[in-house]
Amino acid sequence: MASVLYAWGRWAVRRRGAVVAGWLVVLAVVGGLGLAMAGPVSKEFPVPGIESQRAQDLLEEKMPEASGGTVRIVVAAPEGATLDTGAARAALGRSLGEAAHVPGVVYVADPFEARTVSADHRIAFADVQFREAAQQVPETSTKALTAAMAAARDAGLRVEYGGSAMEPDTEVGGPAEIIGVVIAFAVLAVALGSLVAAGLPLLTALVGVGIGVLGVQLAANAVDMTDTATVLALMIGLAVGIDYALFIIARHREQLQDPGTDVEESAARATATAGSAVVFAGATVIIALAALAVTGIPFLTVMGLAAAATVLLAVLIAVTLLPALLGLLGERLRPRARARTSPNDTWSLAWARAVTRKPLLVVLAGVVALLALALPAKDLRLGLPGNASQPAASTQHKSYDLLTEGFGPGFNATLTAVADTSRIPASDREAALGELTASLAAVPGVAHVEQPVPNADATFAAIAVVPASGPDDQATSDLVDRLRALEPGFARDGGTLYIAGSTAAAIDVSAKLADVLPLFVALIVVLALALLTLAFRSVPVPLKAVLGFLLSVSASLGATVWVFQQGHLNGLLGIPTAGPVTAFLPVLLIGVLFGLAMDYEVFLVSRMREHFQHNRDARDAVIHGVAASGRVVTAAALIMVAVFGGFVFNHDPIIKSIGFALAVGVFIDAFVVRMILVPATMALLGRRAWYLPRRLDHLLPDVDIEGAGLPRPAADRTPTGPPPGTASTSVRLPDGR
């Protein structure tokens, strides 16, 4: 691998003008097409095969008139007033009359005729049905609908909006995300000791993210895409793009500390050595993200593949565009004499000695701390965010609060009992639906059951069931199970019963993910063992890496439950209300964090292995490895934490939870597992850490990701690394170590 990348890097430096121009053309073409022909994205998370999805599909098939997007207009009179007074009722009627003329609207309910007025007559709602599906309702129509309610607002009524067609758009690029990038630049400037060098990773990462995200938007024309997929691609592409460029630039500047080193030779060797580790680490992330396909859930598969494509672009840019830019900048990247540091005068050396002085105590303390962080994960509940999770100042959250105040907590958790009566004799269908309605109303936990609404040929009916508890309450989940238990009795009459609704969908999605999670985790663990065994030619090192990764995931999930589900730090992080964790977050966290954790494992342990091969002193190899790579690993982790942390303050509840889980997960994995537990464990194991059965040693191919097979540079013919033919994986820093 190193030899190929060496030739590739030298070619990129020599053809730097053409390489830079080529990438700019790709950015212009893909970016232009992505902006001009961006495909539609959805906020829905369909999962084929689950009961709630089958019910939803049947509703769209049998009752197409009800399958369009809806807006629920919630109106409230001032305190002490009511909606049934002449002026208020007349103003509301005028507004709803104007709403009926908004383009695309096919039906507007009258709250007084539909009896959707609260008992105290202060709060009411009117459902507005659109012809188009929710994601296809144009923004001009929703704005026109908002304007149509002017008469009601002028009469002193409070008007808020909810419904599928009023879901807020997911936006990025706010102050928090920008601050995250600024922090990343500051970390780069300190780590590399040069503002020019610090700007390069940001530049190349933005090129990769621009091509990747706009390409994903273009691909949305061909595949169903959620808006979360594009944000995840941006989040991961930006983080790994910066980190991968950092590793290569750090090696390049370290080599340029030798005044006799040629720029072209240094760029080629940095691409061959650090670039090999980047390719290896990037391939791990790509495989982990692509492995989300084993869940069998389409939106997760697309999400994983979109992010994997962006990571692939980050790797390609790191080993092509970056060497070309290194050649263009030439001598401007050579460190000045005062910037060069002694290899023994570093904080990372002191840190390495500290954590290996009493390794057993360090390991025990670290494991106990991580298990304590993971403890809240035992209460993990999964769900899908609703309007209660939207920002408190948003109209969606305000409409949720008004409906709860006027109609009770269970109104926002309304379930739909979908009854297929096509196999019941026509003369018996009405009686069968009547019995079903009575049975639904008798189930403990049901507050109210509406009358059945049949389709045109009376072979299908939908029945609204209002729970007594809220959408995020465990009692509502238990109610869904009790309602579904009525299906065998209805089936004896010849019918089929499904229970749908947001709470039912959350239960079904969680159950589906719980079924595939063991397979996914097993795949990730086997993948980690295989790749790390191949890279480090050791059995204990991969086992230790996998155990550390599992601790990182558990601790990150525990922290996520503690904050988002149990409600701690809600005010600080702008979380409007506590609730279940997003259903697909655990599997997404496992896939993404696995790839990122293996990055740090490769860059840290590779230097330990290189030194061990050279002097065969296991403890000294651990200290040397941490001292040599601690600075760049710390910088890379801080950059990822800053980038992911910026998304914690995004208004979208899904993006917020993903950003938090990844930021905490990376922080724990880099600073607790890799920088504390790994060196302490390696010190405990000693020479046993590098054990590999002789038979397996002969079977494994020798993967040269360090460049041991490359010719020595002309400026340094004295061997300083492992002997030729010995596998080595190391990452050098710009401080001369």
Side-chain angles (χ1 to χ4, degrees), residues 36-353:
M37 303 173 60
V41 294
S42 171
K43 284 189 167 295
E44 297 179 353
F45 302 97
V47 180
I50 61 176
E51 178 174 336
S52 55
Q53 187 62 50
R54 290 197 300 271
Q56 185 62 38
D57 294 341
L58 280 171
L59 279 171
E60 294 178 2
E61 176 188 349
K62 303 291 187 179
M63 304 177 74
E65 68 279 1
S67 62
T70 60
V71 173
R72 175 160 287 177
I73 301 174
V74 185
V75 183
E79 291 289 343
T82 62
L83 292 172
D84 54 1
T85 59
R89 186 164 183 169
L92 180 58
R94 288 196 302 273
S95 288
L96 293 178
E98 291 186 29
H101 293 93
V102 170
V105 171
V106 295
Y107 174 74
V108 177
D110 184 308
F112 295 98
E113 293 180 3
R115 295 183 298 176
T116 56
V117 181
S118 63
D120 60 0
H121 298 280
R122 199 180 75 83
I123 298 173
F125 69 89
D127 285 336
V128 178
Q129 187 79 40
F130 281 87
R131 183 179 298 105
E132 302 93 345
Q135 62 267 26
Q136 296 174 346
V137 175
E139 186 178 359
T140 54
S141 293
T142 56
K143 286 184 176 179
L145 184 63
T146 303
M149 299 304 296
R153 289 192 296 270
D154 293 342
L157 303 181
R158 179 180 172 186
V159 183
E160 304 295 347
Y161 306 89
S164 60
M166 287 296 287
E167 291 285 342
D169 293 330
T170 300
E171 298 176 354
V172 294
E177 288 96 328
I178 294 173
I179 290 173
V181 174
V182 171
I183 293 174
F185 177 76
V187 173
L188 286 167
V190 173
L192 295 173
S194 164
L195 292 178
V196 174
L200 271 184
L202 290 177
L203 175 63
T204 55
L206 289 175
V207 171
V209 163
I211 297 172
V213 172
L214 292 173
V216 167
Q217 291 183 352
L218 184 62
N221 288 288
V223 297
D224 293 333
M225 188 88 64
T226 63
D227 55 1
T228 306
T230 58
V231 179
L232 182 66
L234 168 64
M235 193 187 303
I236 295 176
L238 185 61
V240 301
I242 294 173
D243 273 9
Y244 292 167
L246 167 63
F247 292 130
I248 294 177
I249 295 171
R251 173 62 69 90
H252 178 58
R253 280 175 58 81
E254 180 227 341
Q255 293 168 166
L256 288 180
Q257 287 189 111
D258 184 346
T261 301
D262 175 65
V263 170
E264 179 181 312
E265 171 67 16
S266 176
R269 296 188 76 85
T271 305
T273 52
S276 293
V278 164
V279 171
F280 184 89
T284 305
V285 179
I286 291 168
I287 293 172
L289 289 169
L292 288 170
V294 305
T295 61
I297 299 175
F299 78 83
L300 266 183
T301 300
V302 172
M303 198 179 294
L305 293 177
T310 309
V311 174
L312 176 61
L313 280 168
V315 173
L316 292 175
I317 286 173
V319 297
T320 54
L321 177 60
L322 183 58
L325 293 175
L326 296 180
L328 281 175
L329 290 173
E331 292 294 328
R332 279 171 288 185
L333 291 179
R334 190 181 297 274
R336 297 179 181 180
R338 66 174 181 269
R340 298 169 188 172
T341 60
S342 166
N344 293 320
D345 185 22
T346 64
W347 68 266
S348 51
L349 178 62
W351 179 265
R353 288 172 175 164

Side-chain angles (χ1 to χ4, degrees), residues 328-501:
L328 281 175
L329 290 173
E331 292 294 328
R332 279 171 288 185
L333 291 179
R334 190 181 297 274
R336 297 179 181 180
R338 66 174 181 269
R340 298 169 188 172
T341 60
S342 166
N344 293 320
D345 185 22
T346 64
W347 68 266
S348 51
L349 178 62
W351 179 265
R353 288 172 175 164
V355 297
T356 57
R357 186 170 294 119
K358 294 184 178 180
L360 181 59
L361 181 62
V362 169
V363 169
L364 291 176
V367 170
V368 169
L370 291 181
L371 290 176
L373 278 175
L375 198 58
K378 67 181 178 58
D379 299 320
L380 174 67
R381 290 182 56 233
L382 301 177
L384 295 174
N387 284 341
S389 301
Q390 296 297 335
S394 68
T395 188
Q396 292 83 5
H397 188 96
K398 292 176 180 177
S399 71
Y400 178 96
D401 288 344
L402 284 176
L403 290 172
T404 299
E405 178 185 347
F407 302 95
F411 190 82
N412 285 295
T414 299
L415 302 166
T416 303
V418 178
D420 184 352
T421 59
S422 58
R423 291 179 297 171
I424 298 177
S427 58
D428 297 335
R429 288 172 186 167
E430 184 175 352
L433 286 175
E435 292 178 8
L436 176 62
T437 303
S439 298
L440 292 169
V443 174
V446 171
H448 178 67
V449 177
E450 297 284 350
Q451 289 300 309
V453 178
N455 66 342
D457 61 2
T459 60
F460 188 83
I463 306 171
V465 180
V466 181
S469 49
D472 296 332
D473 294 340
Q474 181 62 43
T476 307
S477 299
D478 296 337
L479 174 61
V480 171
D481 294 334
R482 291 194 294 271
L483 293 175
R484 285 176 172 170
L486 298 176
E487 204 281 331
F490 190 58
R492 284 193 293 270
D493 295 333
T496 305
L497 175 66
Y498 305 94
I499 301 298

Side-chain angles (χ1 to χ4, degrees), residues 694-715:
R694 193 179 299 272
R695 189 169 183 178
L696 186 58
D697 188 25
H698 291 306
L699 291 174
L700 291 177
D702 188 2
V703 180
D704 178 18
I705 65 173
E706 167 58 18
L710 296 177
R712 302 303 303 169

Side-chain angles (χ1 to χ4, degrees), residues 557-574:
L557 277 178
T560 303
V561 169
W562 189 74
V563 171
F564 287 86
Q565 183 176 308
Q566 298 180 355
H568 301 282
L569 305 181
N570 278 9
L572 178 65
L573 299 179

